[in-house]
Structure formats: C-alpha cells, structure tokens
Amino acid sequence: MKFNTKTIHGGQHPDPATGAVMPPVYQTSTFAQKSPGVHGGYEYSRAANPTRTALENALASIENGTRGLAFSSGLAATDCVLKLLKPNDEVIAMDDLYGGTYRMFSKIYQEFGIKFHFVDMNDLDKFKSLINENTKLVWVETPTNPLMKLADIEAIAKITKEKNLLFAVDNTFATPYLQRPLDMGADIVMHSATKYLGGHSDVIAGALIVKDEQLGEKLHFAQFATGGTLGPQDSYLVLRGIKTLHLRMQRHCENGEKVANFLSNHPKVKAVYYPGLENNPFYHIAKKQMQGGFGGMVSFTFESGKKEDAIKFLESVRVFTLAESLGGVESLANHPALMTHASIPEDKRKEIGITDDLVRLSVGVEDAEDLLEDLRQALG
Ligand code: P1T
C-alpha cells in the first residue's frame, strides 16, 4: 500500500460486530470476562481499548513500524521512552528542542540521575565525542522547534547502530507524509499527535512507533505500568485526523513555501528559517530526507532585532491566531521566547538562537493570498 492509501486504510477493518466503517468509540473502562482471565483480548482500557488499537494500528502503518502506542500527550510519549533508562545513563539530545521536552529532561529526569548533553547534531564529531559507556539514548527533532534546524537521520543512525544506542526522532514537524525515520535507521518515532496527525486543534495526544517488536513490548509495558494512555474519544479524533493527513500536508507545504518566500523578500524581515529555501543551510539534508515538500512551519526575525516589533506584529495579525501549538488547519503565530520556549533559561535561549525578535508561524491550509495579505498588514 502506498502512503496516501495507508492514511485511510492502514491497519483498519470494518467493525466485526456491525460492519461500521469507522471504529466505534468504545467508551468503556473495562470488559466483561467469561471466566477469570478468559476474555476477548481486552480486559481494562489502560492496557488496551479497541478504539485506541485502531489508532495504534494506523500509526504503525503510516510510519512503517510494527507497533504504535497512543498516549495522553506528546510529552507522555516522550516520558515513556525516558522510562527505559536508569540513573547514571546518559542521553545526547539535539540542542534545539520543544521547550517542554527540554523542561522534562532538565527539570525531571536530570533529578533522577540521568545526564543530558545538548548538542547540535550537525556536528557529528562533537556528537561522537560525547558518546561513552553510559550513553543509552539519542534524541532529535528534525525539523527542530522553533529554529527549523535539520539533523541527518541516516548519518546519526549509522553511528547509533555502531555504538548500540537507542535513537529516537520526534517527527512532529515533518510527519510521515514528508519523512519516515524508521526507514532511515531510527529505532523510535515520537509524535505530538496534538499537531499535524490530529490536525484540527481539538485534542492533546502523543504517539510512539517502533519497528522492533521487543522494543514495542518494553514501551507498552512502561505505558501500561505508569498509565499515560489516550482515551477512546481522543483516539477516535486522532484516527479521523490521520485520514486526511496527506491532503492537509500538501497544502501546508504549498502555503509554507509561499509564506517563507514572501517573508524572505520583505524589507522588515531579517532571517527566515525554512528548510525549503535554497539558501537555507539545511536545504541539502531536506532534499535528501524529506519527500514531497518542506512542511508548514516557518520562523523569522526582524531587521530591527527588536522584541517590541515581534510583539506588535503578533498583536496585529488577524487571519493568523496568536496561540501556542501548531499543525492544525488554521494558521497560528507564536513568540517562542515568551510562550512555547519560556521554560528554557534566557542564556540558553540566546546561546542557541531563540532571540526575543523570533516569531514562529504554523501556516495553515487557508487561501495563501489571505495569509500573505495578513502578514503584509501586520508587518506594516
Ligand atoms: O503538547 P504535547 O502534545 O504534549 O507535545 C509536546 C511536543 C513534543 N514535541 C514537539 C516537537 C512539540 O512541538 C510539542 C508541543 N509543542 C507545542 C505545544 C508548541 O507550540 O510548540
């Protein structure tokens, strides 16, 4: 099956009881047993629920994995991976990450005795120099949130395989429509399904997908034992979102390119961060590992370098909505330093380039002319 067909049919079957084409929302916490321990595969919804199973099968299908797991949020999915580690283990992570992921690593798991190194994964020598006998996990976002940096998944996977390390890729920004990390050698794909997979800004959800069945079993055990599972109604919403992922992503990419080009030619704009621009330092990696476009996320800074200009712009947008999150059909605008990445200390933010005049746009699927006109008036 090809990708677009998989978004609709991957791992899906009509409901065996009624023939319903969409899976019913099995809004139940528990399942009747014939005799103690004798049941039809479902006993308690924290362990498994048929609506969540339908979503998990779809997730595995679109990422070319063997097992998908659905969580109550993207951070719950990340948290589950960290539960594979023990005190004194070390993690090497991309230096640019969603603020909440950085917060979990540095404020929660560091306290449990796990050591984190944050590094630009494009410097493979630096990355290799940090690997030691305690290193267990490598964590990257590509493209990163919010600076749209890319990491070469194949090149990193070659090293992690050699050194026997787990390699997880947060594929939230690209989605499997553009890039399938498991096919490039990653061990775990993570999603904030709140974003493009759900696609309609109406649900908080997360996902993990793996190829290795044993690893899938370990992650499922950690999820079941600690409880961050997705409810049936929310599972249904994400599953419904996935069915139009390919259609939405196509338009997100078209509009993203138009917005990036518009901003690149605007006199008030200094830098535009979008991997689809030919002068972008990550363009060659994007061409290699992303197929079908470059996504709908665009960040930019102001020629003036002033925070006030970014705030004025964000207060002036009308079609874009000033809000956290991304990946829904509607366009959103965000100020990372004050909003999504405020949990990263100011000196760290400055060090990696999250300046106070940085604005991040999640370009939606509206008519591009309306989006460009909105940007024109807000910049004006
Ligand atoms: O919000 P949640 O579903 O828990 O997902 C966390 C998360 C993980 N990874 C990436 C790349 C993300 O962007 C996020 C959530 N991000 C936002 C809410 C945001 O506005 O950037």
Side-chain angles (χ1 to χ4, degrees), residues 125-147:
D125 290 332
K126 178 88 192 284
F127 163 49
K128 277 197 266 189
S129 76
L130 291 169
I131 299 173
N132 64 48
E133 63 195 359
N134 293 330
T135 312
K136 295 284 154 40
L137 172 69
V138 173
W139 188 278
V140 304
E141 287 176 11
T142 178
T144 62
N145 181 0
L147 290 170

mmCIF file of all heavy atoms in Angstrom, residues 125-147:
data_model
loop_
_atom_site.group_PDB
_atom_site.id
_atom_site.type_symbol
_atom_site.label_atom_id
_atom_site.label_comp_id
_atom_site.label_asym_id
_atom_site.label_seq_id
_atom_site.Cartn_x
_atom_site.Cartn_y
_atom_site.Cartn_z
ATOM 1 N N ASP A 125 31.216 15.105 14.755
ATOM 2 C CA ASP A 125 32.416 14.807 15.556
ATOM 3 C C ASP A 125 32.169 15.125 17.022
ATOM 4 O O ASP A 125 32.538 14.361 17.908
ATOM 5 C CB ASP A 125 33.623 15.608 15.031
ATOM 6 C CG ASP A 125 34.065 15.063 13.676
ATOM 7 O OD1 ASP A 125 33.842 13.855 13.437
ATOM 8 O OD2 ASP A 125 34.588 15.840 12.864
ATOM 9 N N LYS A 126 31.522 16.275 17.253
ATOM 10 C CA LYS A 126 31.190 16.662 18.634
ATOM 11 C C LYS A 126 30.246 15.609 19.238
ATOM 12 O O LYS A 126 30.429 15.174 20.373
ATOM 13 C CB LYS A 126 30.518 18.045 18.586
ATOM 14 C CG LYS A 126 30.063 18.613 19.902
ATOM 15 C CD LYS A 126 31.184 19.397 20.579
ATOM 16 C CE LYS A 126 30.892 19.750 22.019
ATOM 17 N NZ LYS A 126 29.954 20.849 22.158
ATOM 18 N N PHE A 127 29.249 15.217 18.437
ATOM 19 C CA PHE A 127 28.284 14.202 18.887
ATOM 20 C C PHE A 127 29.021 12.921 19.276
ATOM 21 O O PHE A 127 28.836 12.388 20.380
ATOM 22 C CB PHE A 127 27.250 13.980 17.776
ATOM 23 C CG PHE A 127 26.449 12.713 17.891
ATOM 24 C CD1 PHE A 127 25.835 12.358 19.086
ATOM 25 C CD2 PHE A 127 26.295 11.873 16.793
ATOM 26 C CE1 PHE A 127 25.093 11.187 19.197
ATOM 27 C CE2 PHE A 127 25.556 10.707 16.883
ATOM 28 C CZ PHE A 127 24.964 10.357 18.096
ATOM 29 N N LYS A 128 29.913 12.464 18.393
ATOM 30 C CA LYS A 128 30.629 11.208 18.671
ATOM 31 C C LYS A 128 31.506 11.328 19.918
ATOM 32 O O LYS A 128 31.635 10.385 20.692
ATOM 33 C CB LYS A 128 31.503 10.825 17.464
ATOM 34 C CG LYS A 128 30.704 10.087 16.398
ATOM 35 C CD LYS A 128 31.598 9.374 15.430
ATOM 36 C CE LYS A 128 31.861 10.248 14.241
ATOM 37 N NZ LYS A 128 32.537 9.607 13.125
ATOM 38 N N SER A 129 32.075 12.536 20.104
ATOM 39 C CA SER A 129 32.989 12.710 21.246
ATOM 40 C C SER A 129 32.239 12.627 22.588
ATOM 41 O O SER A 129 32.849 12.416 23.627
ATOM 42 C CB SER A 129 33.732 14.044 21.135
ATOM 43 O OG SER A 129 32.853 15.099 21.494
ATOM 44 N N LEU A 130 30.918 12.804 22.557
ATOM 45 C CA LEU A 130 30.141 12.749 23.807
ATOM 46 C C LEU A 130 29.692 11.335 24.173
ATOM 47 O O LEU A 130 29.210 11.078 25.271
ATOM 48 C CB LEU A 130 28.899 13.642 23.681
ATOM 49 C CG LEU A 130 29.167 15.148 23.634
ATOM 50 C CD1 LEU A 130 27.904 15.893 23.231
ATOM 51 C CD2 LEU A 130 29.677 15.649 24.973
ATOM 52 N N ILE A 131 29.854 10.407 23.223
ATOM 53 C CA ILE A 131 29.386 9.032 23.479
ATOM 54 C C ILE A 131 30.368 8.314 24.414
ATOM 55 O O ILE A 131 31.577 8.340 24.187
ATOM 56 C CB ILE A 131 29.243 8.243 22.150
ATOM 57 C CG1 ILE A 131 28.213 8.935 21.240
ATOM 58 C CG2 ILE A 131 28.841 6.790 22.417
ATOM 59 C CD1 ILE A 131 28.121 8.345 19.842
ATOM 60 N N ASN A 132 29.834 7.732 25.473
ATOM 61 C CA ASN A 132 30.671 6.916 26.362
ATOM 62 C C ASN A 132 29.877 5.684 26.789
ATOM 63 O O ASN A 132 28.763 5.467 26.302
ATOM 64 C CB ASN A 132 31.146 7.750 27.570
ATOM 65 C CG ASN A 132 29.980 8.200 28.434
ATOM 66 O OD1 ASN A 132 29.104 7.400 28.784
ATOM 67 N ND2 ASN A 132 29.932 9.481 28.768
ATOM 68 N N GLU A 133 30.427 4.907 27.693
ATOM 69 C CA GLU A 133 29.778 3.630 28.050
ATOM 70 C C GLU A 133 28.411 3.807 28.713
ATOM 71 O O GLU A 133 27.610 2.861 28.757
ATOM 72 C CB GLU A 133 30.705 2.801 28.947
ATOM 73 C CG GLU A 133 30.995 3.504 30.262
ATOM 74 C CD GLU A 133 32.178 2.901 31.015
ATOM 75 O OE1 GLU A 133 32.761 1.925 30.517
ATOM 76 O OE2 GLU A 133 32.489 3.421 32.106
ATOM 77 N N ASN A 134 28.146 5.019 29.246
ATOM 78 C CA ASN A 134 26.844 5.259 29.888
ATOM 79 C C ASN A 134 25.784 5.768 28.908
ATOM 80 O O ASN A 134 24.609 5.852 29.266
ATOM 81 C CB ASN A 134 26.997 6.285 31.019
ATOM 82 C CG ASN A 134 27.830 5.739 32.149
ATOM 83 O OD1 ASN A 134 27.829 4.531 32.388
ATOM 84 N ND2 ASN A 134 28.565 6.602 32.823
ATOM 85 N N THR A 135 26.210 6.133 27.714
ATOM 86 C CA THR A 135 25.258 6.698 26.755
ATOM 87 C C THR A 135 24.267 5.619 26.320
ATOM 88 O O THR A 135 24.673 4.516 25.932
ATOM 89 C CB THR A 135 25.990 7.247 25.506
ATOM 90 O OG1 THR A 135 27.073 8.053 25.953
ATOM 91 C CG2 THR A 135 25.055 8.065 24.641
ATOM 92 N N LYS A 136 22.960 5.960 26.406
ATOM 93 C CA LYS A 136 21.943 4.959 26.056
ATOM 94 C C LYS A 136 20.994 5.456 24.967
ATOM 95 O O LYS A 136 20.476 4.665 24.199
ATOM 96 C CB LYS A 136 21.103 4.598 27.299
ATOM 97 C CG LYS A 136 21.896 3.905 28.390
ATOM 98 C CD LYS A 136 22.155 2.454 28.040
ATOM 99 C CE LYS A 136 23.381 1.832 28.676
ATOM 100 N NZ LYS A 136 23.703 2.135 30.018
ATOM 101 N N LEU A 137 20.745 6.769 24.944
ATOM 102 C CA LEU A 137 19.678 7.274 24.077
ATOM 103 C C LEU A 137 20.131 8.543 23.354
ATOM 104 O O LEU A 137 20.790 9.405 23.944
ATOM 105 C CB LEU A 137 18.443 7.590 24.950
ATOM 106 C CG LEU A 137 17.260 8.294 24.301
ATOM 107 C CD1 LEU A 137 16.556 7.364 23.296
ATOM 108 C CD2 LEU A 137 16.235 8.748 25.371
ATOM 109 N N VAL A 138 19.733 8.624 22.077
ATOM 110 C CA VAL A 138 19.968 9.841 21.287
ATOM 111 C C VAL A 138 18.596 10.357 20.882
ATOM 112 O O VAL A 138 17.748 9.588 20.401
ATOM 113 C CB VAL A 138 20.843 9.521 20.057
ATOM 114 C CG1 VAL A 138 20.953 10.730 19.142
ATOM 115 C CG2 VAL A 138 22.222 9.054 20.515
ATOM 116 N N TRP A 139 18.377 11.672 21.096
ATOM 117 C CA TRP A 139 17.044 12.244 20.885
ATOM 118 C C TRP A 139 17.147 13.456 19.954
ATOM 119 O O TRP A 139 17.849 14.413 20.272
ATOM 120 C CB TRP A 139 16.444 12.680 22.231
ATOM 121 C CG TRP A 139 15.023 13.099 22.098
ATOM 122 C CD1 TRP A 139 14.569 14.325 21.675
ATOM 123 C CD2 TRP A 139 13.859 12.303 22.336
ATOM 124 N NE1 TRP A 139 13.192 14.325 21.640
ATOM 125 C CE2 TRP A 139 12.733 13.102 22.050
ATOM 126 C CE3 TRP A 139 13.674 10.987 22.781
ATOM 127 C CZ2 TRP A 139 11.424 12.634 22.181
ATOM 128 C CZ3 TRP A 139 12.373 10.523 22.902
ATOM 129 C CH2 TRP A 139 11.270 11.343 22.608
ATOM 130 N N VAL A 140 16.469 13.395 18.824
ATOM 131 C CA VAL A 140 16.464 14.576 17.952
ATOM 132 C C VAL A 140 15.049 14.931 17.505
ATOM 133 O O VAL A 140 14.179 14.065 17.374
ATOM 134 C CB VAL A 140 17.339 14.419 16.673
ATOM 135 C CG1 VAL A 140 18.764 14.067 17.002
ATOM 136 C CG2 VAL A 140 16.757 13.432 15.693
ATOM 137 N N GLU A 141 14.871 16.213 17.282
ATOM 138 C CA GLU A 141 13.740 16.717 16.495
ATOM 139 C C GLU A 141 14.333 17.116 15.152
ATOM 140 O O GLU A 141 15.407 17.695 15.106
ATOM 141 C CB GLU A 141 13.162 17.994 17.121
ATOM 142 C CG GLU A 141 12.389 17.786 18.379
ATOM 143 C CD GLU A 141 11.921 19.120 19.000
ATOM 144 O OE1 GLU A 141 12.021 20.180 18.365
ATOM 145 O OE2 GLU A 141 11.479 19.075 20.155
ATOM 146 N N THR A 142 13.656 16.821 14.068
ATOM 147 C CA THR A 142 14.085 17.331 12.774
ATOM 148 C C THR A 142 12.873 17.436 11.868
ATOM 149 O O THR A 142 12.255 16.406 11.617
ATOM 150 C CB THR A 142 15.227 16.488 12.153
ATOM 151 O OG1 THR A 142 15.547 17.039 10.865
ATOM 152 C CG2 THR A 142 14.912 14.998 11.996
ATOM 153 N N PRO A 143 12.473 18.647 11.415
ATOM 154 C CA PRO A 143 12.997 19.953 11.799
ATOM 155 C C PRO A 143 12.761 20.241 13.284
ATOM 156 O O PRO A 143 11.814 19.714 13.881
ATOM 157 C CB PRO A 143 12.175 20.923 10.948
ATOM 158 C CG PRO A 143 11.634 20.131 9.826
ATOM 159 C CD PRO A 143 11.456 18.752 10.351
ATOM 160 N N THR A 144 13.632 21.100 13.830
ATOM 161 C CA THR A 144 13.519 21.424 15.249
ATOM 162 C C THR A 144 12.522 22.551 15.478
ATOM 163 O O THR A 144 12.226 23.340 14.590
ATOM 164 C CB THR A 144 14.878 21.865 15.816
ATOM 165 O OG1 THR A 144 15.310 23.060 15.130
ATOM 166 C CG2 THR A 144 15.934 20.793 15.678
ATOM 167 N N ASN A 145 12.068 22.576 16.713
ATOM 168 C CA ASN A 145 11.115 23.579 17.183
ATOM 169 C C ASN A 145 11.862 24.538 18.104
ATOM 170 O O ASN A 145 12.323 24.107 19.163
ATOM 171 C CB ASN A 145 10.000 22.840 17.952
ATOM 172 C CG ASN A 145 8.922 23.746 18.480
ATOM 173 O OD1 ASN A 145 8.963 24.949 18.287
ATOM 174 N ND2 ASN A 145 7.943 23.155 19.159
ATOM 175 N N PRO A 146 12.042 25.811 17.795
ATOM 176 C CA PRO A 146 11.413 26.576 16.720
ATOM 177 C C PRO A 146 12.360 27.001 15.595
ATOM 178 O O PRO A 146 11.950 27.710 14.699
ATOM 179 C CB PRO A 146 10.993 27.845 17.469
ATOM 180 C CG PRO A 146 12.130 28.084 18.433
ATOM 181 C CD PRO A 146 12.661 26.717 18.800
ATOM 182 N N LEU A 147 13.640 26.558 15.638
ATOM 183 C CA LEU A 147 14.617 27.141 14.705
ATOM 184 C C LEU A 147 14.711 26.398 13.377
ATOM 185 O O LEU A 147 15.512 26.773 12.517
ATOM 186 C CB LEU A 147 15.994 27.235 15.375
ATOM 187 C CG LEU A 147 16.055 28.289 16.500
ATOM 188 C CD1 LEU A 147 17.359 28.156 17.288
ATOM 189 C CD2 LEU A 147 15.931 29.704 15.934
#
